[in-house]
Amino acid sequence: MKHHNIYKLPSHVAIIMDGNGRWAKKRGLPRVFGHKEGAKAAEKAITFASELGIKYLTLFAFSTENWARPQEEVNFILKLLVDYIDNKLDSLVEKNINLRFLGRKEQLPQSIVMTIQKAEKETSNCTGMNLIIALNYSGRAEIIDAVNKIISKGISSVTEESFRDYLYFPDVPDPDLLIRTSGEVRISNFLLWQLAYSELYFTEVLWPDFDEEEFLKALYDYQNRERRFGRIEI
Ligand code: FPP
């Protein structure tokens, strides 16, 4: 294991893995090649974050809006995820990584649901890094689902703290750092509630090129941020 002395390590890092399509296009390759390289980059980031001792890593793999892409591309991305689980589940358990999927499971094909449930079950006793893969996820949908749960319970008033209990993973702390690759400077309906005070880091690097060195750059940048949560320095 490599040793990096990272002071002020964020406890929760969330990543919008963007730019796979452009990475492929630049090379004259079909978009799916970019996703294939993107999955390798995801694997690299997962291993590195776990080695560094990051407690929570959330990766945006597939948004509810992504269904609008050509069926072939959608199937390819979902297949990449299933292959990742099929090939890496044992190694995740070995690394003591707990894997959970964030998002609406209802609209996913049954075969995917079975694969992700198996992965969640087999890593449920792992106490190392928490790996959260956002799949069929939408930040607004998560908030709406929370509101509907509250209404169905007949609860007439909530606070910011009690509202959190109705989000998908109430036990997960808000991200300290959000990374987005490929030069886009948007949140794109990712963890809308949870990103309220997160530090945001944008890089031009396309996701397939995001390696350990690029990850470290984001972490070093984070170290130099001053997090005030609306307060002032005294
Ligand atoms: C964004 O690039 C990427 C996606 C929508 C898919 C991300 C999925 C993976 C990297 C596979 C996940 C695998 C694991 C193991 C977690 P884009 O296609 O929007 O790129 P573009 O903006 O250049 O077109």
Side-chain angles (χ1 to χ4, degrees):
M1 202 212 279
K2 296 181 206 104
H3 285 277
H4 290 275
N5 234 342
I6 309 245
Y7 131 93
K8 250 173 57 171
L9 191 70
S11 153
H12 184 177
V13 178
I15 308 182
I16 301 177
M17 310 182 286
D18 197 8
N20 294 343
R22 275 163 285 166
W23 185 93
K25 195 167 173 225
K26 260 174 58 179
R27 289 163 178 76
L29 297 167
R31 291 177 56 80
V32 291
F33 278 75
H35 294 313
K36 202 167 163 215
E37 287 304 305
K40 288 187 203 160
E43 200 185 317
K44 228 185 262 178
I46 292 164
T47 302
F48 193 51
S50 154
E51 286 178 1
L52 288 176
I54 287 170
K55 280 305 289 176
Y56 298 87
L57 178 68
T58 300
L59 301 177
F60 205 178
F62 196 83
S63 75
T64 50
E65 290 80 21
N66 287 150
W67 295 109
R69 295 188 178 204
Q71 187 68 42
E72 193 186 81
E73 184 175 342
V74 169
N75 290 343
F76 192 91
I77 295 172
L78 294 178
K79 171 96 170 43
L80 275 177
L81 269 164
V82 170
D83 287 350
Y84 174 77
I85 294 169
D86 286 347
N87 298 326
K88 299 289 169 187
L89 192 52
D90 290 346
S91 115
L92 287 176
V93 173
E94 216 169 278
K95 292 178 185 134
N96 200 20
I97 295 176
N98 178 294
L99 173 57
R100 282 189 282 173
F101 287 84
L102 179 75
R104 285 184 177 163
K105 290 199 174 90
E106 310 89 73
Q107 287 127 346
L108 291 169
Q110 191 54 31
S111 62
I112 307 273
V113 174
M114 281 170 63
T115 304
I116 69 184
Q117 277 171 348
K118 176 174 175 245
E120 287 179 337
K121 186 158 174 270
E122 287 196 19
T123 62
S124 63
N125 292 325
C126 295
T127 55
M129 186 173 80
N130 292 276
L131 171 61
I132 298 163
I133 298 184
L135 185 62
N136 193 30
Y137 178 81
S138 143
R140 286 186 177 175
E142 180 179 20
I143 292 170
I144 292 299
D145 285 351
V147 170
N148 283 322
K149 270 185 244 168
I150 291 163
I151 293 170
S152 71
K153 288 190 173 223
I155 295 166
S156 58
S157 136
V158 289
T159 62
E160 286 186 16
E161 274 326 299
S162 71
F163 184 77
R164 183 179 292 276
D165 293 341
Y166 299 93
L167 294 172
Y168 295 150
F169 294 150
D171 61 301
V172 175
D174 291 343
D176 301 291
L177 171 65
L178 171 77
I179 298 171
R180 182 171 190 154
T181 56
S182 91
E184 307 295 341
V185 188
R186 289 189 292 274
I187 301 294
S188 296
N189 207 3
F190 200 27
L191 308 162
L192 292 181
W193 178 273
Q194 297 87 338
L195 290 172
Y197 286 104
S198 307
E199 294 296 333
L200 310 179
Y201 177 86
F202 299 100
T203 170
E204 294 287 328
V205 170
L206 303 174
W207 178 250
D209 294 326
F210 190 88
D211 57 9
E212 290 86 352
E213 196 185 332
E214 294 299 329
F215 205 153
L216 280 175
K217 277 191 209 165
L219 295 173
Y220 290 141
D221 192 85
Y222 172 81
Q223 289 175 353
N224 296 320
R225 308 280 181 99
E226 203 187 312
R227 303 191 75 195
R228 292 197 301 267
F229 300 95
R231 298 184 297 262
I232 56 160
E233 278 303 297
I234 42 165

